[in-house]
Amino acid sequence: MLPRERTEMLEREILSPYAALSSRSKGRLAPEEQCDIRTDFQRDRDRIIHSKAFRRLKHKTQVFLSPEGDHYRTRLTHTLEVSQIARTIARALRLNEDLTEAIALGHDLGHTPFGHTGEAVLNEICPRGFRHNIQGLRVVEILEKDGKGLNLTWEVRDGILNHTSRDIAATVEGRLVSLADRVAYINHDIDDAIRAGIISVEDLPLNCVDILGDTHSRRINNMITDIIDNSADGCINMSQPVKDAMNQLREFMFGHVYLDPVAKGEEKKAQHVVKELYFYFLKHVDKLPDDMKLLLECTDISDVVCDYVAGMTDTYAIRMYKELFLPESWN
């Protein structure tokens, strides 16, 4: 028996009846010969980790634009925290940990430079609109590997597309990642905001502290424990008190951090950079990289330009803006 076959057998014996089995995946867009060692979901995880889009996450904004401190979260560290939280819950509920990890690692591949600020700008100016989850699916299906895509399984692609609160994933693992995403960003954004001096621990709503805990680790532990205790029969749930406290913390963060002039002090500049880059490349298609030009054979110009700008990191977008629009010193 091959190592992959042994893993698939163990999945059938050990996992919950509600878990997605790698041996019963709905498959890939282009059929492939299976790996002797890894299951299909394990291969998807590895493909995401080795992708260029995944590496770029380390220089993309989470909340604070291009933070100078070494310990602020980026889109990459957020992704890793989501993966850790989701995997912990998946193991406790006997769900497919490999599928969970693959979805978690790929869920934000479609994010723009400057976080949700960049997403809002592209949604405003691109004819097709823009949502990072839809773009994430485009990344793994088309944009990676010079237009070939990663050819991921249906279950992972569904989880990437449907990880936002407005969408519902088809698998339990996908729905778990969606909730783990919220648990991660609310808690680490609080941690970063305290580090930045925008809020203090004492500012947090007292009833939320009483229910969830007074430290970063306690809040995450209590949320994870609550999800495990209240999830059953393929449903991922929180108890009502914990869910209410989490939602109240989210509202608090919008009022005190996400819309705070300190945290968002550079937002208008970031909006300007994204807009100028988009309209520049729309007029100067010849300046696009060769791999993006190849897409012009089958894709509208505005979509290709949107793909290019959306794929930029914060640092690359700023550097490109300087090269295109700011004069250099003359020697």
Side-chain angles (χ1 to χ4, degrees), residues 78-101:
H78 160 73
T79 294
L80 296 176
E81 290 185 31
V82 173
S83 176
Q84 177 268 319
I85 291 169
R87 286 180 57 220
T88 297
I89 298 170
R91 184 173 297 185
L93 296 178
R94 293 188 298 121
L95 299 176
N96 194 308
E97 202 172 330
D98 294 323
L99 173 58
T100 301
E101 185 177 23

Side-chain angles (χ1 to χ4, degrees), residues 57-202:
L57 294 177
K58 67 180 178 179
H59 292 305
K60 291 199 175 191
T61 289
Q62 179 58 29
V63 172
F64 300 96
L65 301 184
S66 299
E68 292 186 359
D70 292 336
H71 301 128
Y72 290 103
R73 269 74 171 188
T74 64
R75 190 63 60 178
L76 177 60
T77 55
H78 160 73
T79 294
L80 296 176
E81 290 185 31
V82 173
S83 176
Q84 177 268 319
I85 291 169
R87 286 180 57 220
T88 297
I89 298 170
R91 184 173 297 185
L93 296 178
R94 293 188 298 121
L95 299 176
N96 194 308
E97 202 172 330
D98 294 323
L99 173 58
T100 301
E101 185 177 23
I103 295 171
L105 292 175
H107 83 282
D108 269 354
L109 292 181
H111 255 295
T112 63
F114 313 118
H116 290 289
T117 297
E119 180 176 17
V121 171
L122 289 181
N123 186 51
E124 174 190 335
I125 62 179
C126 294
R128 75 179 187 205
F130 188 93
R131 288 176 59 195
H132 75 272
N133 57 316
I134 296 175
Q135 185 68 12
L137 186 63
R138 185 168 170 79
V139 167
V140 299
E141 287 187 346
I142 300 173
L143 301 179
E144 274 293 320
K145 298 184 72 174
D146 299 326
K148 298 177 183 177
L150 300 180
N151 199 29
L152 305 181
T153 59
W154 180 89
E155 291 79 4
V156 174
R157 288 184 284 116
D158 172 80
I160 291 172
L161 177 64
N162 296 304
H163 76 270
T164 64
S165 57
R166 72 169 75 179
D167 307 294
I168 301 176
T171 63
V172 183
E173 289 83 359
R175 297 192 289 274
L176 168 57
V177 170
S178 179
L179 184 53
D181 185 25
R182 277 172 277 166
V183 171
Y185 79 70
I186 288 171
N187 282 289
H188 64 49
D189 290 353
I190 289 173
D191 194 42
D192 279 356
I194 292 173
R195 179 174 290 106
I198 295 174
I199 61 172
S200 66
V201 175
E202 291 74 22

Side-chain angles (χ1 to χ4, degrees), residues 217-273:
S217 59
R218 285 173 184 160
R219 283 189 294 272
I220 290 181
N221 182 71
N222 287 334
M223 287 184 182
I224 288 175
T225 301
D226 186 79
I227 293 170
I228 293 170
D229 290 343
N230 289 277
S231 297
D233 300 331
C235 295
I236 303 297
N237 289 313
M238 278 181 162
S239 66
Q240 199 59 49
V242 170
K243 184 185 296 184
D244 290 342
M246 183 181 75
N247 289 334
Q248 188 177 347
L249 274 183
R250 186 173 181 272
E251 292 175 6
F252 170 84
M253 292 297 289
F254 268 100
H256 294 78
V257 177
Y258 299 144
L259 304 179
D260 180 84
V262 175
K264 295 299 181 181
E266 301 295 288
E267 189 172 90
K268 288 188 176 180
K269 296 178 185 178
Q271 292 171 347
H272 178 74
V273 169

Side-chain angles (χ1 to χ4, degrees), residues 1-2 10 13 16 20 32 54-55 85 100 122 144 146 181 216 244 248 260 308 318:
M1 186 179 290
L2 296 172
L10 286 172
E13 292 176 353
S16 160
E32 295 180 12
F54 185 79
R55 294 195 293 274
I85 291 169
T100 301
L122 289 181
E144 274 293 320
D146 299 326
D181 185 25
H216 177 72
D244 290 342
Q248 188 177 347
D260 180 84
Y308 182 48
I318 292 170

